[in-house]
């Protein structure tokens, strides 16, 4: 098994926030608290320590009391830039990534991903969750920004990004990956609902558990 203290959490808050009008998404309030701080409080009990990946307003993020690191890649290169930043700074065998804009993610996320990685001997464990389809049905889809990564993947990711790669799934497909479906009885159907716009954020505030 993978021990809690062998996992470092990484909150991804380095995006442009384009669909929120360019605001710093991680600092937008959700139930009276910045999204990134919500994520920090939800993630901290699940892991040995937490870092934040942010590219602006660094002092605001530093006020949350954990290390803050900007991307090493230029021009807001996307979540993989955050993955790379986290793997470079991680001092534990495993890194768990979560985005700042999905405030209801599961309280047992780390445990379930770690159990699957250990059971399958995988280098990566990725969450999957039901999402609504246009016809009203639901389909379980992978949630690639919710990843448990073995730190030894750093060299592979450096090579992939240096060659211009930016898609998470193209990189993870190169390694043994356990997929963990969060669609069991008792799982919150809104756990992986993210807020891309301020309207979506405000709508999500009134839904799901606290």
């Amino acid at each position: 098994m993978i021990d809690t203290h062998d996992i470092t959490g990484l909150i991804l808050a380095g995006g442009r926030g384009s669909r929120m009008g360019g605001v710093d998404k991680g600092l937008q309030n959700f139930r009276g608290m910045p999204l990134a701080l919500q994520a920090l409080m939800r993630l901290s009990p699940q892991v040995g320590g937490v870092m934040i990946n942010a590219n602006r307003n660094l002092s605001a993020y530093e006020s949350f009391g954990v290390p803050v690191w900007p991307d090493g890649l230029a021009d807001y290169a996307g979540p993989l830039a955050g993955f790379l930043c986290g793997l470079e700074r991680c001092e534990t065998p495993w890194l768990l990534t979560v985005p700042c804009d999905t405030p209801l993610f599961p309280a047992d996320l780390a445990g379930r991903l770690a159990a699957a990685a250990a059971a399958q001997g995988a280098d990566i464990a990725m969450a999957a969750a039901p999402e609504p389809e246009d016809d009203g049905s639901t389909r379980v889809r992978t949630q690639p920004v919710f990843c448990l990564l073995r730190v030894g993947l750093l060299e592979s990711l450096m090579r992939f990004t240096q060659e211009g790669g930016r898609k998470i799934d193209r990189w993870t497909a190169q390694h043994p990956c356990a997929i963990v479906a969060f669609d069991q009885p008792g799982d919150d159907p809104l756990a992986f609902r993210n807020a891309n716009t301020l309207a979506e954020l405000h709508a999500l505030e009134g839904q799901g558990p606290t």
Side-chain angles (χ1 to χ4, degrees), residues 125-171:
M126 183 186 298
E131 290 187 355
E133 299 283 292
D134 292 338
D135 62 5
S137 65
T138 59
R139 178 181 174 187
V140 175
R141 295 182 182 274
T142 56
Q143 308 291 321
V145 283
F146 289 91
C147 261
L148 180 67
L149 307 167
R150 196 185 295 274
V151 167
L153 295 171
L154 172 59
E155 186 177 332
S156 165
L157 184 54
M158 288 181 67
R159 193 164 52 243
F160 182 79
T161 54
Q162 285 169 357
E163 293 169 354
R166 293 293 182 266
K167 298 289 188 182
I168 298 175
D169 52 2
R170 287 190 59 194
W171 175 65

Side-chain angles (χ1 to χ4, degrees), residues 11-30 33-38 53-57 61 64 76 99-103 194-198 200-201:
I11 298 167
L12 302 168
R16 292 183 187 275
S18 301
R19 284 179 280 181
M20 279 194 183
V23 299
D24 194 336
K25 191 183 288 190
L27 299 179
Q28 302 311 299
N29 275 350
F30 178 84
M33 190 183 300
L35 276 168
L37 185 55
Q38 281 275 358
N53 165 233
N55 289 311
R56 47 187 169 152
N57 301 310
Y61 286 106
F64 300 158
Y76 294 87
C100 68
D101 64 356
T102 310
N194 68 315
N196 283 314
T197 66
L198 289 172
E200 289 175 354
L201 179 61

Side-chain angles (χ1 to χ4, degrees), residues 1-3 7 94 109-119 125 148 180:
M1 293 297 294
I2 300 168
D3 189 88
I7 304 172
W94 294 87
L109 175 71
R112 286 165 71 173
L113 293 182
L148 180 67
V180 183

Side-chain angles (χ1 to χ4, degrees), residues 47-100:
V47 295
V50 180
M51 306 182 288
I52 297 175
N53 165 233
N55 289 311
R56 47 187 169 152
N57 301 310
L58 301 189
S59 60
Y61 286 106
E62 287 167 352
S63 73
F64 300 158
V66 299
V68 180
W69 303 106
D71 290 348
L73 300 177
D75 300 324
Y76 294 87
L80 276 186
F83 282 28
L84 185 59
C85 170
L87 288 172
E88 288 175 331
R89 305 289 183 179
C90 188
E91 297 180 358
T92 57
W94 294 87
L95 179 75
L96 174 61
T97 65
V98 301
C100 68

